[in-house]
Amino acid sequence: MAARGVQVNKANTDKVFDRINLIFWVIVLVAILYPLWLIIVASVSEPDAVMMGKALLWPVGFSWTGYQAVFQHKQLISSYANSIFYTVSGSAISVAVTMMAAYALTRKFKGKKGVNLYIIITMFFSGGLIPQFLMNRTLGLYNTVLIMIIINGVSVWNLMVARTYISSAVPNELYEAAAIDGADHFIYFFRIVLPLSGTIIAVLAVYYGVARWNDYFTALVYIRDRAKLPLQTILREVIATLTTSTSDADFFSAYANDSHAISEAIRRAQVAKYCCIVVSTVPTVALYMLMQKYFVKGVLIGSLKG
Amino acid sequence: MKKQNDWQLWVLLLPALLYFFVFCYLPMYGIQIAFRDYKAVFGILGSKWVGLKNFSDFFSTYYFARLLGNTFLLNIFGLLWGFPIPIILAISLNQIEHPLYKKLVQTSIYIPHFISTVVMVGMLYLFLSPSNGIFNKFIGMAGGAPIYFMAEPGWFRTLFIGSDIWQHAGWSTILYIATLTGIDPELYEAATVDGATKGQKIWHIDIPHLMPIAVMMLILSCGSLLISNTDKALLMKTAANSARSDIIGVYVYEMGLGKAQFSYTAAIGLFTNVINFITIMIVNSVSKKLNETSLF
């Protein structure tokens, strides 16, 4: 093993390895980023160029018409506001409830085993869509704003990650020191645990926030009122259906009396689909970018003990 | 700690316990409608017991084999392709030495995860459109005839799984990267002194460290072999591709909520739940024997 020639060979193998690895990642990055780039390019190109499939690398004939159409689409704007409201209030509640329960589960108390079991069971058994639907309807949650905020409120997985994080980030000595001053659990939680849990709170906020912002199934099942619909449901009408006629109608309803304006609006609606994608995705990606530095650390500490 | 403060812990737990009660345990109570002929006017308790009728109706329907086959195959192929890729990505990412480049790569592979399912499927429709989608543009440049991707049953699984991998494989690396970051650097140094190549270090250090977490992830995914991403399948389903896109979750949605067949579809839900639970138990005990890794 220690012979010189072998050493040199090994250094060479490593160089080859690095080169292959580099090529591999260039391919992966292009595969991931090109479709995203294509969406952005199409969203600011001339509608005709997009429809001909010409805007493949750079915007062709820069224009904002698609974005103008998006911002004139009343239902889209109000659903956007709904989504912001559902996401912010829902995630705030989820994070708070998760953190409180996670802290409690790091401490010793009578009945803790039972509580753990009670929570874990829900990971393996569930009522299923239909019993869940019937129960929520019986509770009067059907077609309410409330269901959009509290359904999917606590994820067991997130709860476990938060619990592991708290038990490793908060040393026992801190509790003992505070106990001497007569602290109780509320004081531990608010004065000691929360100030030390910035990382995991950020991670939870992103997990819950993104899931809520992107959720379209809940509204599909529970919401009938168009005024309460979240963004994703409207987006589906605009971009994710093969038949574009109904969604396009919203884009050109304003010009209903002018046939020239209608054809212009239909043309615009094609590009508007790309603009919708950009406008709806910016918040989640921005949130991720802001919180990025917390992720690996949060997951690392949270997963230590599984 | 002082015992008399226990009530405060219960106060902190209360909202979570209440949540699980209302959204998990109450629906479990509602499962009994699978054994009844549920009529809304009579309520759950007032509806007639019918025993296993709803189950046998499902097993004897023309759709049964097709639904089960489609759901199972979609998931098993998804697992076969989707499971190893994040591990390979994480190991490979861990080998990048330049910190800035590493950061760029890591940031980029996470981004698609933050796109919604609706947008993802919308992108499929836009990019795969036979008239002006980019894929068919390239096929056209190469002299081929346009392919109606979204209307072709043969393409459904490839598109479903492929887009899932594109969207989530990068994000799934996060656990593996966290694990690799936690490996003691002295191990690598010792291996370097012994003259190990990068390949050998991966084989003898990285992979053994990743095994326990990988097995756990595998067990967890085996527990959902009959549960698919229903909302994505609903969005991707077209009349033309239903030979492959008819899966259990979509059927339950369409029959249950669309046609108000509550008892019948509750039975289907219970059936898949039981199968999934049995699967997870089997995989868990096998892995316990082979690997000493298990969920519980």
Side-chain angles (χ1 to χ4, degrees), chain A residues 78-95:
Chain A
S78 71
S79 70
Y80 207 94
N82 287 344
S83 274
I84 293 175
F85 174 65
Y86 297 149
T87 303
V88 172
S89 54
S91 312
I93 294 171
S94 291
V95 172

Side-chain angles (χ1 to χ4, degrees), chain A:
Chain A
M1 272 292 180
R4 252 214 142 69
V6 181
Q7 291 282 9
V8 172
N9 276 339
K10 281 194 172 138
N12 278 337
T13 351
D14 280 1
K15 251 182 214 153
V16 174
F17 180 96
D18 281 339
R19 206 150 296 161
I20 294 173
N21 205 28
L22 183 78
I23 296 168
F24 170 75
W25 277 109
V26 170
I27 296 170
V28 172
L29 284 190
V30 169
I32 289 175
L33 298 177
Y34 179 63
L36 300 173
W37 176 242
L38 205 56
I39 299 276
I40 297 170
V41 165
S43 77
V44 293
S45 290
E46 273 299 327
D48 291 330
V50 175
M51 282 171 79
M52 308 271 286
K54 276 184 186 152
L56 295 180
L57 213 52
W58 301 107
V60 176
F62 193 85
S63 98
W64 288 115
T65 52
Y67 286 100
Q68 281 166 358
V70 167
F71 289 111
Q72 283 163 5
H73 193 297
K74 290 205 177 71
Q75 176 83 58
L76 199 75
I77 298 301
S78 71
S79 70
Y80 207 94
N82 287 344
S83 274
I84 293 175
F85 174 65
Y86 297 149
T87 303
V88 172
S89 54
S91 312
I93 294 171
S94 291
V95 172
V97 172
T98 304
M99 284 304 290
M100 284 171 4
Y103 163 73
L105 290 174
T106 62
R107 312 313 308 274
K108 283 202 186 80
F109 64 94
K110 214 174 159 216
K112 183 172 158 183
K113 259 198 163 156
V115 171
N116 268 325
L117 191 68
Y118 175 86
I119 292 170
I120 296 282
I121 285 175
T122 65
M123 268 183 115
F124 299 101
F125 278 118
S126 71
L129 177 66
I130 301 304
Q132 208 169 38
F133 172 78
L134 291 178
M135 278 299 168
N136 290 335
R137 206 178 56 172
T138 309
L139 294 172
L141 292 170
Y142 183 74
N143 203 16
T144 60
V145 167
L146 196 61
I147 190 125
M148 294 301 292
I149 294 173
I150 56 177
I151 206 171
N152 305 325
V154 185
S155 129
V156 180
W157 182 265
N158 288 351
L159 179 57
M160 296 304 158
V161 170
R163 183 190 64 179
T164 314
Y165 183 94
I166 293 172
S167 60
S168 63
V170 184
N172 229 1
E173 292 77 43
L174 277 181
Y175 294 126
E176 281 158 19
I180 296 170
D181 299 335
D184 54 24
H185 284 299
F186 291 157
I187 294 180
Y188 292 144
F189 179 66
F190 287 107
R191 298 264 178 82
I192 299 175
V193 173
L194 284 188
L196 288 173
S197 299
T199 301
I200 197 66
I201 290 174
V203 170
L204 290 177
V206 173
Y207 280 164
Y208 283 125
V210 170
R212 261 170 213 290
W213 182 263
N214 287 342
D215 176 27
Y216 109 98
F217 195 66
T218 304
L220 187 69
V221 172
Y222 291 103
I223 301 295
R224 284 289 155 271
D225 257 349
R226 281 185 76 79
K228 291 176 192 155
L229 287 178
L231 176 65
Q232 300 299 330
T233 325
I234 304 302
L235 271 184
R236 178 192 173 220
E237 290 176 10
V238 177
I239 55 171
T241 42
L242 260 182
T243 50
T244 52
S245 51
T246 49
S247 59
D248 290 354
D250 278 334
F251 280 118
F252 58 75
S253 60
Y255 314 90
N257 298 320
D258 178 344
S259 65
H260 176 72
I262 289 176
S263 67
E264 168 63 23
I266 292 175
R267 215 167 60 92
R268 216 190 257 192
Q270 291 302 318
V271 177
K273 290 174 202 283
Y274 293 93
C275 302
C276 279
I277 293 181
V278 175
V279 171
S280 70
T281 308
V282 161
T284 47
V285 172
L287 181 66
Y288 152 64
M289 293 290 184
L290 280 173
M291 304 291 197
Q292 200 188 3
K293 60 179 175 186
Y294 298 108
F295 272 111
V296 174
K297 195 180 154 213
V299 174
L300 178 62
I301 299 179
S303 69
L304 273 183
K305 283 173 236 160

